[in-house]
Amino acid sequence: MARKLSYHPIAKLSIIALWAAVCAALVIRTVDAEGAFEGHKQLLPSIQLAEANVKMTPQQERAAWQVFAKPHPEALQQHLQALADAEVAAHRWPQHADEVAAWQSWVRGQLRQALAFPGPADARVKAQVCGKIELDICTIERVQVRTAPHVYCVANLYIPRGLKHPAPGILLLFGHGDRLWSYFAVARRYVEQGYVVLAVEPYGAGETGHDPAKNEYHGGMSVAGLLAAGLPLSGLVIYNHIHAFNYLRSRPEVDAERIGVTGVSGGASHTLFMAAADGRAAAYAPASAALWIAQPREFWKAHCWCDTVPGLFQFAEEQALVACGCPGAWLRIHLAPEVTEFSAEQLRQMQAHAEAVYRLAGAGGRIDMEIVDSIHGYTPAVQERVSRWFHRWLRPTQQPVADSSLPAKPKEPLKTALVVWQKGRPADALTPTQLAVATIKQKLAAMPQAPADRPEAEAVCAVTRRKLAQVLGCWGPALGSVHVVGKRPGRQGMVTQAVLELKTGLQIPFVVETPTGIERPPVVLILHPDGKQAAAQWSLTERLLAEGWAVASMDLLGRGEVPASYERMGYAGSRDQQTCMAALKLGQSLAGWWAQEVLAVARWLQGRDWLAAEKVACVARDETSFAALIAGAQDGRLSPLVLLRPLASYYSPAGYGKPYFYRERQRIGGLGTYVWYVPDIVAAGDVDHFIGLLAPRPVMIMGPVAADGTALTRSQVQSLLPWSRSIWATYGARSNLRIYTRPNVRRISDWLGSVCGQ
């Protein structure tokens, strides 16, 4: 009788682990640009048989859904840089002196259009002096300027005593977190030199912000609604600054032809945009404007919505903006500790094109660059250099002051006395959040009524679809090509690994796991905000695989294996602020990019003969639900769709998140993402209108959330999406739209099975 072999339990585990490792190492590669996997039919059965009895560890399961052997943290930056370089390379520059003025006018017009001013920049100044402070060498007037309905600019005007003739003026622009009292010493030093100084708070900060008593960073989630409303914060800030400049010119104490504009940090960025959007100042002296604000080099390192111009690189970059200020004398001040990676020659080269325009205009001696050894701020060292530049071009009565013993901040009660609105803001003045809510409400109220029949519904939806594609800024032909790069055993079947290669060379990884023993299974594409690895661990994925679905998932741009490693703006309350800003500078949108990636993968899935993919089901969570919604709205191949925790509406009386105050710890709230916020998207419609574009396909909405991040109540959900409900009704397919208050994995899988016949 043959003796039965037995193995020690540890030996058994070792053999199983070894065999699993061999299976996991088996990678089949192809260079088929169309994505056809030539070895699939021959090799898949044997691999499936080999791994059928192998219990995989969680690490091995995750490895099967990991496409790249090692992370590529620089890949996304290289992709963005290539896009920016292509845009900037197409810019046109004047070649002759007689072309300069027309070119400046064209760039200025494009910039103003991108900034979307809420009114005419040359409108009559509506200013009011709210009070005065008499000091030994000057009078300080507390000034408010009403620049547009519900929009105000607040400032302190410093007028030297004893003026006998109009004096040169300075428009002093603030950085982030600065207040009127922050620039008291700076303004007083300029007064000592004979200047009239208008110190201006940027819109959305200080007294026009959400809490006048605090130092507010005005670029967080709280202003997200402004973008959707078509009122970018950058446009409101520069619009207010132009009105402040107009007011300074209108004062009898000021020589309107001798005004300089200066600022540090955010104020330096605004000085740059003032030169381009207005261009009437005699001199400009920005100090420490971040190099990536308007330059294509590392432009994704954005800081704030106040210096992010949608579509900027489609017509200009920093050098063109500088050149628009010609013949105004331009001095770019870099702070030594902030530019250690560059030589002086490299920094000068960064404005070479602008210098060429100045020379064409006969103003070659009116542009310069200097490095000042100073910390970040409008320090005495910075002011001394600006003073010498302004003295050269504005000709004040006194020589520049080399130093001053004045304290950096005024003492009480002067500090409080500088506040413009001593009794609170005017009744009609709105905070950025309030302005966004009011504007969105007004625009949505102007939308057409719900259609009464199917032909009308189809016509209205066609218009909405075109408008949506237009505001996304990047809708066009299919992206790149798909390459299958390997196969690995998964926990319930075989995992096909592939990449969507974009034209820049960036690879978007995705996987498809097909369950063992099922021929041509239906396929569902799962989108997770943390990428496909997170989708792999989701209980819904395991449930769908067990029920016979092939499950696909992908890492959208900036997530998973295509990380945005530069995102450092946690205090802004968003995990993708800088990537969204980068897309907008290119005249595009992260939401649009994602939607195109989703459709490219869906097209590839449809072309696989080993999948039953006449339609591709899609389940998307949080902000990825917007990508699925857009993709489904523009293309009918995604069906059915499940959208988990989508934004309920852009109209949000409770706001879009809390503002960030410097030196305080607080929860920002909101959606934690800017993916939903595309410039002027409410001109195309609300979320309700976009969901209606999916009709009459089966669609499930689960757990919709308000823009402030709170979940909707049952009663709110019951009254949600009236437009969409009416669209489905015109098709006689009311039951195809399901809306639930809370997400439920079992309900999702059961519904997908019933809709698709699983």
Side-chain angles (χ1 to χ4, degrees):
M1 182 176 177
R3 180 181 168 187
K4 186 176 181 180
L5 294 176
S6 63
Y7 296 92
H8 190 278
I10 295 179
K12 287 184 179 179
L13 292 175
S14 299
I15 293 171
I16 292 173
L18 177 61
W19 181 242
V22 171
C23 291
L26 180 58
V27 178
I28 303 166
R29 298 186 177 275
T30 180
V31 293
D32 180 12
E34 295 301 317
F37 187 32
E38 299 297 336
H40 176 78
K41 293 182 179 179
Q42 293 78 12
L43 295 172
L44 182 56
S46 61
I47 295 175
Q48 286 181 336
L49 289 173
E51 62 87 35
N53 297 317
V54 174
K55 176 67 175 178
M56 301 188 72
T57 67
Q59 292 81 0
Q60 291 167 332
E61 291 175 359
R62 287 193 292 270
W65 282 46
Q66 179 177 324
V67 174
F68 300 142
K70 59 181 181 180
H72 299 276
E74 305 299 322
L76 180 53
Q77 290 94 307
Q78 294 168 358
H79 167 74
L80 295 174
Q81 191 67 67
L83 294 178
D85 289 344
E87 289 284 357
V88 172
H91 292 173
R92 60 186 183 90
W93 291 85
Q95 303 299 316
H96 305 284
D98 58 359
E99 297 174 356
V100 172
W103 174 82
Q104 288 176 319
S105 178
W106 179 81
V107 173
R108 182 165 293 122
Q110 294 293 307
L111 178 60
R112 288 192 173 195
Q113 182 177 349
L115 290 170
F117 289 163
D122 57 354
R124 183 175 65 86
V125 176
K126 300 177 182 178
Q128 178 182 347
V129 176
C130 301
K132 296 183 179 181
I133 306 169
E134 300 293 345
L135 300 181
D136 53 349
I137 65 168
C138 68
T139 298
I140 305 175
E141 294 185 355
R142 302 193 300 268
V143 179
Q144 71 172 32
V145 182
R146 189 175 187 272
T147 61
H150 311 298
V151 180
Y152 284 81
C153 171
V154 297
N156 286 162
L157 180 67
Y158 294 74
I159 307 170
R161 288 193 178 277
L163 284 180
K164 297 180 180 179
H165 304 285
I170 291 177
L171 186 67
L172 185 57
L173 306 181
F174 295 3
H176 291 89
D178 292 332
R179 304 298 304 277
L180 288 171
W181 50 263
S182 304
Y183 281 77
F184 168 75
V186 174
R188 178 157 175 162
R189 290 188 193 109
Y190 282 130
V191 167
E192 290 173 349
Q193 299 171 42
Y195 293 100
V196 177
V197 180
L198 187 64
V200 185
E201 281 188 337
Y203 177 77
E207 295 186 56
T208 58
H210 296 88
D211 189 338
K214 297 181 179 179
N215 293 3
E216 180 178 346
Y217 164 75
H218 61 172
M221 290 303 303
S222 60
V223 301
L226 286 176
L227 204 60
L231 294 171
L233 182 62
S234 55
L236 290 165
V237 168
I238 302 306
Y239 176 77
N240 266 15
H241 286 345
I242 291 176
H243 277 264
F245 185 85
N246 292 341
Y247 174 71
L248 187 59
R249 282 173 55 92
S250 73
R251 291 292 301 225
E253 302 91 344
V254 177
D255 182 342
E257 303 306 316
R258 290 190 294 159
I259 297 178
V261 182
T262 182
V264 71
S265 189
S269 303
H270 302 158
T271 300
L272 169 66
F273 290 120
M274 280 290 292
D278 186 76
R280 292 174 293 164
Y284 302 91
S288 184
L291 291 174
W292 50 78
I293 293 301
Q295 287 199 19
R297 183 186 182 277
E298 297 185 346
F299 69 100
W300 51 85
K301 293 181 178 179
H303 176 63
C304 181
W305 292 107
C306 75
D307 45 36
T308 298
V309 179
L312 175 64
F313 289 154
Q314 292 184 322
F315 59 88
E317 43 82 42
E318 181 175 302
Q319 297 199 56
L321 302 182
V322 171
C324 280
C326 179
W330 175 270
L331 175 66
R332 177 70 146 91
I333 297 176
H334 297 285
L335 304 186
E338 300 177 353
V339 292
T340 54
E341 59 184 299
F342 303 103
S343 66
E345 183 56 34
Q346 287 174 319
L347 292 172
R348 186 171 295 280
Q349 189 63 29
M350 290 180 184
Q351 62 182 37
H353 284 304
E355 290 178 353
V357 174
Y358 267 77
R359 287 194 296 272
L360 277 179
R366 298 174 69 89
I367 182 170
D368 203 355
M369 182 279 299
E370 187 163 330
I371 302 173
V372 174
D373 189 8
S374 169
I375 62 173
H376 190 87
Y378 212 105
T379 62
V382 169
Q383 185 168 9
E384 190 274 334
R385 185 61 190 92
V386 174
S387 295
R388 284 194 281 118
W389 185 255
F390 281 177
H391 183 79
R392 178 180 176 185
W393 301 108
L394 304 182
R395 302 294 182 185
T397 57
Q398 304 296 322
Q399 292 293 323
V401 176
D403 199 358
S404 174
S405 59
L406 284 172
K409 300 175 182 178
K411 297 181 179 180
E412 298 287 359
L414 180 57
K415 180 178 175 180
T416 302
L418 293 171
V419 173
V420 173
W421 290 331
Q422 295 284 320
K423 298 181 180 180
R425 68 178 90 230
D428 67 329
L430 299 181
T431 67
T433 294
Q434 292 169 337
L435 180 63
V437 171
T439 305
I440 289 173
K441 181 180 180 180
Q442 182 181 26
K443 288 191 173 184
L444 293 181
M447 290 289 168
Q449 296 295 316
D453 52 39
R454 181 172 173 178
E456 185 183 355
E458 291 176 343
V460 171
C461 286
V463 173
T464 303
R465 189 172 286 110
R466 286 196 299 270
K467 289 182 177 179
L468 178 59
Q470 182 178 2
V471 298
L472 290 171
C474 57
W475 208 259
L479 296 178
S481 57
V482 171
H483 306 272
V484 175
V485 298
K487 283 167 52 70
R488 288 191 178 191
R491 53 186 161 184
Q492 297 193 43
M494 185 57 58
V495 178
T496 301
Q497 300 171 319
V499 295
L500 167 64
E501 185 168 343
L502 307 184
K503 294 179 181 179
T504 62
L506 179 68
Q507 294 181 332
I508 305 295
F510 68 94
V511 297
V512 188
E513 182 163 350
T514 51
T516 302
I518 298 180
E519 185 177 352
R520 298 192 74 243
V523 61
V524 57
L525 176 60
I526 294 182
L527 304 177
H528 194 289
D530 296 325
K532 54 183 169 44
Q533 289 283 9
Q537 305 305 310
W538 192 13
S539 60
L540 177 64
T541 300
E542 184 174 1
R543 187 180 187 94
L544 290 173
L545 285 169
E547 293 176 358
W549 286 84
V551 177
S553 190
M554 61 189 298
D555 287 332
L556 296 168
L557 189 146
R559 305 296 170 89
E561 293 188 84
V562 195
S565 57
Y566 48 81
E567 289 284 357
R568 296 290 187 273
M569 299 294 291
Y571 65 84
S574 170
R575 52 186 166 271
D576 48 36
Q577 182 183 36
Q578 291 171 287
T579 306
C580 286
M581 287 177 172
L584 293 186
K585 286 183 182 181
L586 293 166
Q588 302 181 39
S589 64
L590 184 58
W593 285 346
W594 281 5
Q596 286 186 301
E597 294 162 18
V598 169
L599 278 182
V601 171
R603 291 188 186 100
W604 183 85
L605 292 171
Q606 274 195 316
R608 303 312 98 201
D609 59 5
W610 40 277
L611 295 173
E614 291 77 15
K615 296 286 186 180
V616 177
C618 183
V619 180
R621 293 177 52 164
D622 303 293
E623 60 262 38
T624 67
S625 65
F626 193 34
L629 170 54
I630 297 170
Q634 299 293 339
D635 194 303
R637 74 188 70 230
L638 290 180
S639 178
L641 291 97
V642 181
L643 308 181
L644 279 76
R645 291 191 289 270
L647 175 64
S649 173
Y650 288 104
Y651 177 62
S652 177
Y656 304 89
K658 297 178 181 178
Y660 176 85
F661 301 113
Y662 288 98
R663 293 178 291 278
E664 292 188 19
R665 291 180 177 272
Q666 70 269 2
R667 295 183 64 85
I668 302 299
L671 298 177
T673 173
Y674 274 98
V675 171
W676 290 92
Y677 299 105
V678 178
D680 203 20
I681 193 167
V682 294
D686 200 0
V687 178
D688 186 7
H689 300 90
F690 305 150
I691 290 177
L693 300 178
L694 303 175
R697 282 168 280 172
V699 173
M700 176 181 283
I701 310 294
M702 280 191 155
V705 296
D708 66 347
T710 59
L712 269 60
T713 64
R714 183 181 298 275
S715 62
Q716 289 173 322
V717 169
Q718 289 174 346
S719 61
L720 192 66
L721 307 181
W723 174 278
S724 295
R725 294 175 195 267
S726 69
I727 299 293
W728 261 271
T730 63
Y731 284 92
R734 290 178 184 270
S735 62
N736 277 2
L737 177 61
R738 305 288 183 90
I739 309 174
Y740 298 97
T741 307
R742 297 286 181 267
N744 183 290
V745 166
R746 181 173 181 176
R747 177 173 281 167
I748 294 172
S749 64
D750 290 348
W751 182 74
L752 288 175
S754 65
V755 169
C756 299
Q758 275 295 97

